[in-house]
Amino acid sequence: MADLELPAGVLAGHWTAEDGLTGCSVVLVPDGATGGVEVRGGGPGTRETDVLAPSSMPRDVHGVVLSGGSAFGLATGDGVVAWLEERGHGHLTRAGVRVPLVAGAVVFDRSALEPGRRPGAAEGRTACDAAGPAVPARGRVGAGASTAAGKLADPGSWAWTGFGAATERIGGALVTALAVANPVGDVLDADGSLLAAGRRDGELVRTADLLRAAAAAPPPPTRENTVLVVVCTDARVDRTGAWLVARAASAGVARAVDPVATSYDGDVAFCLSTGTVEVDPFALGAAAAWAAADAVRDAARSA
């Protein structure tokens, strides 16, 4: 794993509520990037993912926003779109209006339970104002401000997680993953040991063990769990290649989370490519998986 770094032309930043209840995180590519996405699990909350599909008309995407607040948090994307438009970024239409394309995904955090506290357009704008060319703060910040893991364990014993990052270099290209970890399951280290898990009777317990023992009571909250990843790279890919990078990142998430992409999770992986370095796609996919796994683990460690 290399030192943390974003590709040239990529900006990232957070807005975090003062009380740590919620937040949002943006990844901006004002000049445009080739985008891809992979959505897994039974409960995703997303915005503009269809425009990133390999079957859609090829066009650049200008950012991704990750937010707390569940479906209400998708409103942060409106602020990001407005922020980009005001600065002259986006696809120029025949009417002379620029339309930025901003994808997004949300996590169910504590703010989802409190009307009026969820991030919206104003908070999306504030995250854009804070965005810079370096990997932003990690831990319980931004979209990872109040996320957790191990949710089949005793209520109140879940493990805090957060926002994490990891960088790989492969064939001259930079591959950096930014992650928000909020799974129903556990976050695992590379050796399989627990990094973030709940407790039962005061002891750390694996979600897999609870399931095997049929001891997963009370039942988990339905569709209130999510792992989100954005892979930023300067490797050159087309739309299909970006989708394959996102798909590889999903495989990386599966190395760090168990169980993963369940019917109670809405896992989403994005790829943003600025496309300046030629890299073998086999190596690029491997690096995306490594970076995604390490970013999820970093989200647990940094919390």
Side-chain angles (χ1 to χ4, degrees), residues 97-263:
V97 176
R98 288 196 176 272
V99 180
L101 293 181
V102 176
V106 293
V107 297
F108 189 105
D109 62 1
R110 289 182 294 163
S111 72
L113 304 173
E114 298 193 23
R117 299 296 307 281
R118 302 134 178 170
E123 289 73 27
R125 280 178 172 272
T126 301
C128 291
D129 289 335
V135 172
R138 293 127 61 214
R140 291 173 60 184
V141 293
S146 65
T147 52
K151 296 170 188 169
L152 291 193
D154 295 335
S157 74
W158 302 348
W160 288 113
T161 50
F163 180 93
T167 294
E168 293 284 345
R169 286 193 171 275
I170 196 83
L174 188 69
V175 181
T176 294
L178 309 175
V180 177
N182 192 43
V184 68
D186 312 318
V187 180
L188 309 181
D189 208 343
D191 63 1
S193 60
L194 293 172
L195 286 176
R199 293 178 179 271
R200 178 152 290 190
D201 299 327
E203 299 292 331
L204 282 175
V205 59
R206 291 180 182 271
T207 299
D209 292 340
L210 291 175
L211 290 171
R212 291 187 179 107
T222 303
R223 298 180 178 86
E224 297 174 5
N225 316 280
T226 307
V227 177
L228 307 178
V229 174
V230 183
V231 175
C232 311
T233 183
D234 53 11
R236 190 187 309 278
V237 294
D238 59 13
R239 180 63 63 84
T240 299
W243 166 62
L244 290 171
V245 170
R247 194 177 189 189
S250 292
V253 172
R255 298 172 189 172
V257 176
D258 182 50
V260 68
T262 73
S263 57

Side-chain angles (χ1 to χ4, degrees), residues 90-99:
H91 294 278
L92 183 62
T93 67
R94 288 182 294 176
V97 176
R98 288 196 176 272
V99 180

Side-chain angles (χ1 to χ4, degrees), residues 60-81:
D60 285 348
V61 63
H62 302 91
V64 172
V65 58
L66 312 178
S67 181
S70 189
F72 302 100
L74 292 172
T76 55
D78 296 340
V80 179
V81 167

